[in-house]
Amino acid sequence: MLNNIELKWLYDVVMLEELRSFTLAAERRNISQSSFSRRIKALENAVGFEIFNRNSNPLQLSLQGRGFIVYARNLLSDIEHQIGKIKGGEIPKYRINIAAAHSISISLLPELISGFSEKPDKVFNIESIDVDEAVNNIKNGKSDFILSFFNDELMTSPFLYHKVLDARLYLVSGCDPGGKPLYRLGDAPLPLMKYADESYMGRQVNQLLEKNFKDQFTYFCISSMSELLKRMILDGHGVGWLPDYSIRDELRKQKLCLLEPKQASIKTGVFIYRTHSRLNPSSERFWQYMKKRWAA
């Protein structure tokens, strides 16, 4: 049986997870650092494991702490929500915390969440970040969900996943007024709008470049943001690989053209991931909604 756990300890641990500094978290909680440290230690003694790895710099959650912080954050949210309902005043909304890859947050996310509006008890808290940072967020309990691409590390416990759609990266060029491509592969070397090597898309494109397209491109612009690269391609500065879901309108309006779609495309998938830890009621309903709506 658990020892008595004080509610203020849960607020402490959530603040420490956010700031990753005992000094800053103690200041924010308006107590001395020594008292704050004792309260965190008391919570760890009560649950029976270390929530933080104090040997790391900056401070990191332990493996067990990653699961616990999700429970703590959502428990506090539920308590505040239920007390608001009892008091009859303004009811705090449950937060649905989503981290999404840049291209997904801009091109897909509004469509993905558009039908989830049956109850006004929630607010979406969306962070648009690169894929690797999004994966790190869910590993460390910072996000309830991430929308991202296939990731082998997130396909096993303690994570759950659901495939939203199949996607492809296509090599594209801007078009002239007649709808013809401004660049063709036979005109190599072509100016390439390239993803940064450390980004997910950069790694995928680099594999294809090394395999099939050596010495056929010169780098014109390098960025991890696909929307920036798309803008550069639309302005006629060169070619680049873009996800199909982000270029549907441009292809239909003949502002972009596909170059060698069979030889130069890259298959991938878009997934929604979460931890196995139970989330707040709105987040759990959102998970079921995503699984049902995107079952195909």
Side-chain angles (χ1 to χ4, degrees):
M1 183 175 179
L2 288 174
N3 295 323
N4 291 335
I5 294 178
E6 298 188 30
L7 198 60
K8 62 186 178 183
W9 297 350
L10 298 180
Y11 282 105
D12 290 342
V13 77
V14 169
M15 184 63 68
L16 183 55
E17 185 277 328
E18 178 184 340
L19 299 178
R20 302 299 173 101
S21 165
F22 277 89
T23 302
L24 296 178
E27 289 178 359
R28 189 75 65 87
R29 295 288 290 149
N30 199 30
I31 61 173
S32 68
Q33 182 174 336
S34 58
S35 296
F36 183 83
S37 297
R38 284 196 297 270
R39 281 166 33 170
I40 294 294
K41 190 63 180 176
L43 176 59
E44 291 179 323
N45 289 337
V47 297
F49 54 82
E50 289 191 346
I51 300 171
F52 292 93
N53 178 5
R54 290 164 174 76
N55 294 324
S56 62
N57 188 18
L59 193 68
Q60 298 293 326
L61 288 164
S62 68
L63 183 60
Q64 293 164 308
R66 294 175 186 178
F68 179 79
I69 201 68
V70 177
Y71 279 116
R73 186 176 61 237
N74 285 291
L75 176 62
L76 292 173
S77 175
D78 195 36
I79 290 173
E80 292 169 357
H81 182 87
Q82 298 303 329
I83 290 176
K85 286 175 65 176
I86 294 169
K87 291 170 64 177
E90 183 178 354
I91 300 173
K93 294 185 176 183
Y94 291 118
R95 291 166 68 92
I96 301 176
N97 299 303
I98 303 174
H102 290 294
S103 65
I104 295 174
S105 63
I106 294 171
S107 302
L108 275 183
L109 193 54
E111 177 185 352
L112 294 177
I113 68 177
S114 62
F116 186 68
S117 57
E118 79 283 7
K119 291 187 178 181
D121 63 348
K122 66 195 175 299
V123 58
F124 284 104
N125 182 45
I126 297 169
E127 188 176 11
S128 179
I129 52 183
D130 66 56
V131 173
D132 291 342
E133 189 176 357
V135 171
N136 189 60
N137 269 16
I138 199 167
K139 286 182 178 179
N140 288 288
K142 289 180 176 291
S143 302
D144 295 326
F145 304 100
I146 66 168
L147 275 164
S148 186
F149 304 102
F150 175 84
N151 186 286
D152 190 59
E153 292 181 82
L154 302 183
M155 293 292 172
T156 57
S157 180
F159 304 105
L160 303 174
Y161 65 91
H162 179 72
K163 191 173 189 178
V164 175
L165 55 84
D166 289 308
R168 282 187 178 273
L169 300 178
Y170 285 106
L171 181 63
V172 298
S173 165
C175 299
D176 64 22
K180 302 297 182 182
L182 297 174
Y183 299 92
R184 298 179 185 276
L185 273 177
D187 301 332
L190 297 178
L192 180 65
M193 308 300 116
K194 187 180 182 301
Y195 293 101
D197 290 341
E198 63 273 13
S199 68
Y200 171 84
M201 290 188 179
R203 294 192 291 270
Q204 304 306 304
V205 171
N206 284 347
Q207 290 179 19
L208 186 64
L209 288 174
E210 182 67 23
K211 182 179 178 181
N212 295 335
F213 297 102
K214 280 187 176 181
D215 303 322
Q216 294 196 40
F217 299 97
T218 58
Y219 300 158
F220 182 87
C221 175
I222 299 175
S223 174
S224 61
M225 296 183 292
S226 64
E227 286 299 311
L228 171 61
L229 299 183
K230 182 170 80 170
R231 183 72 262 169
M232 299 292 287
I233 295 167
L234 284 167
D235 289 346
H237 295 294
V239 302
W241 273 268
L242 296 173
D244 52 6
Y245 54 76
S246 74
I247 57 175
R248 289 176 292 194
D249 288 345
E250 290 80 5
L251 291 174
R252 179 173 53 83
K253 295 175 182 178
Q254 295 187 319
K255 293 182 178 180
L256 290 175
C257 301
L258 303 183
L259 301 181
E260 302 295 337
K262 291 185 178 180
Q263 291 79 18
S265 67
I266 302 169
K267 184 178 180 180
T268 186
V270 176
F271 293 79
I272 183 168
Y273 300 94
R274 59 167 287 184
T275 65
H276 197 274
S277 302
R278 182 158 184 83
L279 306 176
N280 65 56
S282 286
S283 294
E284 290 291 348
R285 287 201 307 274
F286 178 67
W287 172 250
Q288 295 303 324
Y289 162 80
M290 290 294 288
K291 290 175 65 177
K292 182 177 180 180
R293 179 173 179 184
W294 305 103

